[in-house]
Amino acid sequence: MMTPISYERAFEAFLDCTDEKDALCQWLLECLEVRQAQSLLDIGPGTGALSIPLSRAVKRYRAVEPIASYAMQLQAQGLEVLQQAFPANLNEFFDVVLASHVINLSDTDVNLFIKAAWRLVTPAGALIIITHQGIEPDWLALTRTLKQDNLPYHQAVFARLVQLLNERGVVASQQITTNITSQTLEQMLAALAFVWSDGDRQRWQIFERHYEAIQALLEENYFRQGRFFFPFVHTFLTVTNE
Ligand SMILES: C[S@@+](CC[C@H](N)C(=O)[O-])C[C@H]1O[C@@H](n2cnc3c(N)ncnc32)[C@H](O)[C@@H]1O
């Protein structure tokens, strides 16, 4: 069995092994520059791998983060972080409202989340949602190994998300691929467990139960030149009034 580790610890393993933060950060910094954004609301900053560089690119930065340790960590670095789950009552508008890998909610909650986030965007601003569609071939190989073929659910939530965004404004979609790379199987498993479970205890247990099958999948298909790798496709959904 996989040694039990906490969500925060697995998040750290993921951060150590992924090139995702650099890739997302670069895309977002370019976006802020092109849009000449002065203000940013960062919903769900996590440990702040994106937040610190993004906060430096704007005059006004605020974040909303429910996990106390993350919120305090960012506050200690001088960032203004409201410690609660979004939707939150904020009496100001932002040129960019960002939710990067935050949305994984029930259908009703997604609706409330999008409504509240869009309400905080300035007329010439943008709401940016970064998510996985759940239909990417490598992700499907993993979910099938876990005997959790939740493709219909993912497709439905993603379609609903796009529909909700289309009801607000004009939606542009873009994709980038990043990789988790690790020298040890343990680190790869922790990183994948983090992504797969998304903080959900039950999902975490499912992952642990299929440890050997995942190991076989990784060794057969995701091991090259002495390293494990696993690709992820990110979808960027940008909503504007234009
Ligand atoms: C996977 S991390 C993403 C961190 C960062 N945005 C990134 O892309 O690197 C998800 C973060 O969103 C936070 N989160 C989850 N639901 C949230 C909500 N309703 N409002 C604000 N933050 C939320 C979690 O606590 C966690 O820190």
Side-chain angles (χ1 to χ4, degrees):
M1 278 299 266
M2 198 177 152
T3 316
I5 53 168
S6 69
Y7 179 70
E8 279 91 346
R9 284 277 307 283
F11 191 8
E12 279 161 27
F14 169 72
L15 289 177
D16 285 346
C17 299
T18 184
D19 62 359
E20 138 177 346
K21 300 305 162 191
D22 287 345
L24 299 192
C25 199
Q26 197 184 328
W27 190 95
L28 288 165
L29 285 172
E30 276 169 26
C31 173
L32 291 176
E33 195 182 327
V34 168
R35 303 198 66 80
Q36 297 182 321
Q38 306 284 314
S39 54
L40 170 68
L41 175 65
D42 188 3
I43 302 173
T47 54
L50 300 177
S51 318
I52 304 291
L54 293 181
S55 68
R56 292 190 183 127
V58 287
K59 285 195 181 129
R60 175 82 175 124
Y61 172 93
R62 281 190 87 178
V64 182
E65 170 58 58
I67 296 182
S69 58
Y70 294 163
M72 288 190 292
Q73 207 174 306
L74 294 175
Q75 284 160 350
Q77 292 180 78
L79 299 190
E80 194 176 324
V81 185
L82 187 62
Q83 194 212 308
Q84 71 165 85
F86 193 83
N89 230 348
L90 299 170
N91 288 322
E92 64 180 298
F93 299 100
F94 300 86
D95 294 332
V96 171
V97 173
L98 168 69
S100 171
H101 292 304
V102 174
I103 292 183
N104 182 26
L105 311 166
S106 75
D107 205 21
T108 327
D109 287 345
V110 171
N111 189 10
L112 289 178
F113 191 104
I114 296 301
K115 257 192 185 168
W118 180 246
R119 212 179 288 135
L120 299 174
V121 178
T122 54
L127 169 62
I128 301 174
I129 308 288
I130 306 177
T131 188
H132 298 299
Q133 293 192 36
I135 56 168
E136 302 81 4
D138 300 294
W139 183 253
L140 287 183
L142 181 68
T143 59
R144 285 183 183 135
T145 305
L146 291 163
K147 307 217 178 335
Q148 299 287 313
D149 196 349
N150 50 4
L151 179 59
Y153 170 77
H154 264 294
Q155 274 181 326
V157 172
F158 185 77
R160 176 84 178 124
L161 175 63
V162 172
Q163 183 198 338
L164 287 167
L165 296 177
N166 270 311
E167 285 167 11
R168 304 280 171 263
V170 180
V171 182
S173 175
Q174 227 180 306
Q175 295 189 323
I176 64 167
T177 301
T178 63
N179 277 284
I180 294 179
T181 316
S182 89
Q183 277 171 347
T184 67
L185 180 67
E186 288 67 29
Q187 218 177 5
M188 176 57 83
L189 287 168
L192 287 179
F194 161 76
V195 181
W196 162 261
S197 70
D198 200 25
D200 183 296
R201 182 84 206 121
Q202 252 183 331
R203 285 172 70 87
W204 190 280
Q205 285 167 348
I206 291 169
F207 194 94
E208 283 182 326
R209 277 207 299 278
H210 294 87
Y211 176 84
E212 280 176 21
I214 305 161
Q215 180 172 348
L217 173 80
L218 292 171
E219 283 171 349
E220 198 172 321
N221 302 293
Y222 300 99
F223 186 73
R224 208 174 288 152
Q225 294 171 337
R227 307 182 79 147
F228 291 94
F229 69 96
F230 200 88
F232 283 97
V233 180
H234 307 256
T235 298
F236 292 65
L237 297 166
T238 304
V239 195
T240 59
N241 276 313
E242 288 142 28

